[in-house]
Amino acid sequence: LFDTGTSSFIDLMRSDADQLIAQEAISVVDTGFGSSAVGVSGVLSASNSYRVTLPNVRIGPVRIKNGVVEVANTPFTLVGTEMMKYMKSIIDYPRRRIYIIPLSDEEIEYNAKSPNLGITIKDGNLVIAVLWSEYRDKLSIYDKITHVNGVPTGIYEMCDIVNGISLLKGDDPKTL
């Protein structure tokens, strides 16, 4: 499912991932705990999260090699807006078709830097939503984040996650 509301590359549905792991078609590269998904139904309950390597995948004519993606507790496997950096998509409503045009003939080796923790909003505060292996013994999910790079955090609403919280914008490392 193409999801323009998610900025991720691919969020692999848990049941799809479980099946592919059992078939040894993909491998787990990291394990986390928490819930980073927020939708109309609210924040999903906390559970184990996984990052897996997709050794060879095609989405239409777009080829992906050794892409590391997250497994999500979503009802569908989602293709997010990050994938749109590598292709154009044309929606033909009258014929009920989607055309995918790769921007390059080369295989995509998607190796985006993955954060060590996920952040969400709970009771107006920034909190830890997901912890990956490096921080699982040092922090807990729902720990309150009081400062980012020495700047006090504020009170936020859930829509601020969608619009982007200015303290968290940019690719530079953040100190919490």
Side-chain angles (χ1 to χ4, degrees), residues 27 36 38 64 117 124 143 152 161:
S27 57
S36 61
V38 178
I64 303 159
L117 53 86
D143 279 354
I161 289 282

Side-chain angles (χ1 to χ4, degrees), residues 86-152:
Y86 304 98
M87 66 186 201
K88 286 189 224 178
S89 61
I90 300 167
I91 302 172
D92 182 351
Y93 288 105
R95 292 182 187 87
R96 301 180 70 170
R97 294 182 182 202
I98 295 178
Y99 299 95
I100 297 171
I101 303 164
L103 298 179
S104 168
D105 290 334
E106 302 293 319
E107 284 184 320
I108 298 168
E109 288 208 41
Y110 185 73
N111 294 314
K113 185 174 181 189
S114 300
N116 292 320
L117 53 86
I119 296 173
T120 192
I121 296 170
K122 184 177 181 187
D123 301 326
N125 298 301
L126 289 181
V127 298
I128 306 292
V130 176
L131 292 167
W132 293 95
S133 57
E134 184 178 341
Y135 289 106
R136 283 184 75 169
D137 296 333
K138 300 172 186 162
L139 300 168
S140 298
I141 61 167
Y142 306 127
D143 279 354
K144 183 177 174 182
I145 299 168
T146 59
H147 292 76
V148 175
N149 291 344
V151 178

Side-chain angles (χ1 to χ4, degrees), residues 4-139:
T4 58
T6 182
S7 61
S8 63
F9 186 66
I10 296 173
D11 284 339
L12 196 57
M13 182 174 71
R14 183 172 297 278
S15 60
D16 289 348
D18 290 343
Q19 188 175 27
L20 292 168
I21 290 168
Q23 295 170 358
E24 297 182 358
I26 63 175
S27 57
V28 175
V29 294
D30 199 1
T31 303
F33 182 76
S35 174
S36 61
V38 178
V40 254
S41 57
V43 179
L44 294 175
S45 61
S47 63
N48 283 327
S49 300
Y50 303 99
R51 287 187 176 133
V52 297
T53 299
L54 303 175
N56 191 10
V57 174
R58 290 180 75 104
I59 297 178
V62 177
R63 299 179 322 242
I64 303 159
K65 180 181 178 182
N66 297 324
V68 176
V69 301
E70 290 189 20
V71 175
N73 287 322
T74 55
F76 306 101
T77 289
L78 304 175
V79 176
T81 56
E82 180 71 16
M83 179 64 110
M84 297 302 164
K85 292 180 179 177
Y86 304 98
M87 66 186 201
K88 286 189 224 178
S89 61
I90 300 167
I91 302 172
D92 182 351
Y93 288 105
R95 292 182 187 87
R96 301 180 70 170
R97 294 182 182 202
I98 295 178
Y99 299 95
I100 297 171
I101 303 164
L103 298 179
S104 168
D105 290 334
E106 302 293 319
E107 284 184 320
I108 298 168
E109 288 208 41
Y110 185 73
N111 294 314
K113 185 174 181 189
S114 300
N116 292 320
L117 53 86
I119 296 173
T120 192
I121 296 170
K122 184 177 181 187
D123 301 326
N125 298 301
L126 289 181
V127 298
I128 306 292
V130 176
L131 292 167
W132 293 95
S133 57
E134 184 178 341
Y135 289 106
R136 283 184 75 169
D137 296 333
K138 300 172 186 162
L139 300 168

